[in-house]
């Protein structure tokens, strides 16, 4: 039980009349809740702290400059380092109650969220009140790289890349709050190399800043990309920001596509599917080309089916065109509810520019009748007495594609 009194300015006071406001502290470098570059912080190797008091109460400086530690540094992996060094006050710090804590050599920063924990009762105000436990965080980061066009992990049409795009676009991201060191990109050193059979014969040109985004640089190229996967391997320290933070080595990939194919439906009712007895596939040529229909209508299968839901289903040998690149594949047998994987073979169809298809797959969900608990509802609870007294459950059954449920 602690008794408090208030003076005429609503300031809490102790029974003896002294203010009971507790002092506190916040980190100002790195900024609380902010980001700081790994190399920048590893080089400076200190933390700046601002001590705060209120109601005209002065900070008891002896409680900060004594041998006792005021704070602990907590790494992303939970490792705790007590900052035992006596803090200093560079020029201008004293007027603002700010102190600089040098970090021990044992601290090695890694990317991630770090915490500064102010130890309870480790400093005090002139009113004798001590601080409470407090934790603040900051994020240690490094510059990063992302492939803008084509998108990293994505795909791009071969004709579009070679004839329309004619460049690779890379986004260079400095540590938040910093700016790019442009010279680290425009210098003579290569930021990345290309790999993959699809990049054979391609030579990169000198990068220039994109007109649309200051963080994106355009890399023109000569030669032509083929179809397939392309890797961009960025060297360590490929670029830096103006605070001296450098990027890590990284690899990003994209796929250059030729003609492509996708099922018309990603989800289909089992009843509807088995009644219509066909699957429709949308085939797409590369930009500016047309499909070579004979590569689809021949006797060579474009894709195979797999998955227990497709067991016993046999596709027709030759599909029929429905126009607009849509081809219909009849089948015998019957699908069951479940996932069906369509695997399209490499070079199984092509377009008028000889852009052959790549190995690709797609999944179709075949859905059937369902039953859902309604009373008690799924995920809810019911008392044992209620269930044992009434001796029934309610289930809502839904027929496939709206059909009625056979009560038998």
């Amino acid at each position: 039980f602690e008794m408090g009194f208030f003076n005429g300015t609503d300031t809490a006071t102790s029974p003896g009349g002294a203010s009971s406001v507790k002092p506190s502290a916040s980190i100002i470098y790195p900024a609380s809740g902010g980001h700081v570059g790994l190399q920048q912080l590893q080089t400076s190797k200190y933390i700046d702290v601002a001590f705060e008091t209120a109601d005209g109460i002065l900070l008891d400086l002896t409680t900060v400059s004594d041998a006792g530690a005021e704070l602990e540094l907590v790494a992303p992996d939970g490792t705790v380092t007590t900052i035992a060094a006596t803090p200093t006050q560079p020029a201008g710090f004293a007027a603002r109650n700010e102190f600089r804590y040098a970090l021990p050599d044992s601290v090695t920063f890694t990317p991630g969220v770090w915490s500064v924990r102010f130890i309870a009762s480790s400093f005090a105000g002139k009113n004798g009140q001590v601080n409470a436990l407090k934790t603040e965080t900051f994020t240690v980061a490094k510059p990063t790289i992302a492939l803008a066009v084509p998108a990293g992990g994505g795909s791009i049409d071969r004709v579009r890349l070679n004839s329309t795009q004619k460049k690779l676009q890379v986004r260079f991201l400095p540590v938040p709050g910093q700016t790019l060191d442009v010279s680290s990109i425009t210098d003579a050193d290569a930021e990345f190399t290309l790999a993959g059979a699809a990049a054979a014969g391609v030579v990169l040109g000198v990068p220039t800043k994109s007109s649309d985004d200051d963080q994106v640089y355009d890399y023109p190229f000569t030669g032509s990309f083929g179809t397939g996967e392309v890797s961009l391997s960025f060297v360590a320290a490929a670029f830096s920001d103006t605070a001296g933070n450098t990027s890590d080595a990284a690899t990003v990939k994209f796929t250059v596509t030729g003609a492509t194919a996708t099922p018309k439906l990603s989800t289909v009712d089992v009843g509807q599917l088995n009644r219509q007895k066909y699957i429709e596939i949308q085939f797409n040529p590369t930009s500016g080309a047309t499909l070579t229909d004979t590569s689809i209508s021949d006797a060579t299968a474009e894709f195979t089916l797999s998955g227990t839901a497709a067991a016993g289903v046999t596709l027709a040998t030759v599909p029929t065109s429905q126009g607009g690149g849509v081809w219909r594949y009849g089948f015998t047998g019957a699908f069951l509810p479940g996932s069906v994987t369509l695997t399209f073979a490499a070079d199984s169809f092509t377009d008028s520019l000889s852009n052959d298809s790549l190995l690709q797959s797609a999944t179709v969900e075949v859905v059937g009748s369902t039953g859902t608990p309604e009373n008690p509802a799924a995920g809810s609870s019911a008392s044992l007495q209620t269930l044992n007294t009434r001796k029934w459950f309610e289930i809502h059954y839904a027929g496939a594609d709206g059909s009625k449920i056979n009560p038998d």
Side-chain angles (χ1 to χ4, degrees):
F1 178 79
E2 179 179 340
M3 182 178 291
F5 297 89
F6 290 84
N7 58 26
T9 60
D10 291 333
T11 300
T13 63
S14 66
S19 172
S20 60
V21 174
K22 294 179 178 292
S24 63
S26 296
I27 53 174
I28 54 176
Y29 175 80
S32 177
H35 289 74
V36 64
L38 188 148
Q39 286 94 341
Q40 177 185 358
L41 185 57
Q42 193 67 39
T43 300
S44 59
K45 215 64 177 293
Y46 60 75
I47 291 175
D48 288 342
V49 173
F51 289 88
E52 301 150 5
T53 57
D55 300 329
I57 304 300
L58 299 177
L59 179 68
D60 185 347
L61 296 177
T62 62
T63 63
V64 177
S65 59
D66 60 11
E70 287 77 51
L71 52 93
E72 297 171 325
L73 183 64
V74 185
D77 65 0
T79 301
V80 178
T81 302
T82 300
I83 309 304
T86 300
T88 60
Q89 289 187 300
F93 274 44
R96 301 187 298 270
N97 275 348
E98 295 173 359
F99 287 81
R100 176 163 293 171
Y101 288 81
L103 301 178
D105 292 338
S106 60
V107 174
T108 299
F109 286 101
T110 57
V113 177
W114 289 69
S115 301
V116 172
R117 190 158 59 205
F118 292 97
I119 302 168
S121 304
S122 61
F123 57 92
K126 287 287 190 179
N127 59 351
Q129 295 292 326
V130 295
N131 67 294
L133 174 69
K134 181 182 181 182
T135 300
E136 295 185 331
T137 62
F138 60 90
T139 301
V140 176
K142 298 196 72 176
T144 56
I145 296 164
L147 191 54
V149 180
S155 61
I156 187 170
D157 180 284
R158 179 174 182 262
V159 174
R160 179 192 166 197
L161 178 59
N162 290 328
S163 300
T164 306
Q165 178 74 11
K166 295 183 180 178
K167 60 189 175 185
L168 301 180
Q169 293 183 291
V170 178
R171 178 170 282 107
F172 295 94
L173 299 168
V175 170
Q178 302 298 335
T179 55
L180 284 177
D181 179 355
V182 173
S183 65
S184 68
I185 300 171
T186 58
D187 59 12
D189 296 330
E191 287 70 52
F192 64 91
T193 56
L194 297 175
V202 173
V203 178
L204 295 171
V206 177
T208 57
K209 185 184 296 185
S210 170
S211 59
D212 300 324
D213 190 327
D214 286 346
Q215 293 181 334
V216 173
Y217 279 74
D218 299 340
Y219 287 79
F221 61 84
T222 57
S224 296
F225 284 92
T227 56
E229 187 176 78
V230 177
S231 296
L232 284 73
S233 296
F234 290 85
V235 299
F239 81 104
S240 60
D241 60 29
T242 51
N245 301 300
T246 59
S247 58
D248 282 335
T251 298
V252 294
K253 299 178 180 181
F254 68 93
T255 300
V256 183
T257 61
T260 60
T262 55
K264 286 286 287 181
L265 297 175
S266 59
T267 302
V268 62
D269 181 89
V270 66
Q272 174 190 340
L273 182 59
N274 287 331
R275 283 193 299 273
Q276 70 187 28
K277 290 291 184 182
Y278 62 79
I279 298 172
E280 289 186 336
I281 306 296
Q282 175 71 61
F283 290 91
N284 299 298
T286 53
S287 177
T290 57
L291 285 171
T292 302
D293 288 348
T294 54
S295 68
I296 301 172
S297 62
D298 58 13
T300 303
E302 283 70 53
F303 64 94
T304 57
L305 302 176
S306 60
T308 56
V313 174
T314 302
L315 291 171
T317 304
V318 179
T320 57
S321 175
Q322 305 301 302
V326 177
W327 287 75
R328 180 174 293 177
Y329 291 78
F331 64 83
T332 56
F335 285 91
L336 299 173
S339 297
V340 177
T341 299
L342 288 71
T343 302
F344 294 85
D347 304 325
S348 59
F349 57 95
T350 190
D351 63 23
S352 59
L353 296 178
S354 299
N355 292 304
D356 296 335
S357 61
L358 298 175
L359 174 67
Q360 64 179 105
S361 63
T363 300
V364 174
E365 296 296 331
V366 181
V367 297
S369 301
T370 59
T372 306
E374 285 202 346
N375 190 356
S380 67
S381 60
S383 72
L384 179 64
Q385 183 179 359
T386 298
L387 292 177
N388 287 335
T389 299
R390 73 185 190 186
K391 295 186 180 297
W392 53 262
F393 294 92
E394 287 183 350
I395 307 295
H396 180 264
Y397 293 97
D401 86 357
S403 59
K404 293 182 178 180
I405 294 294
N406 184 347
D408 296 329

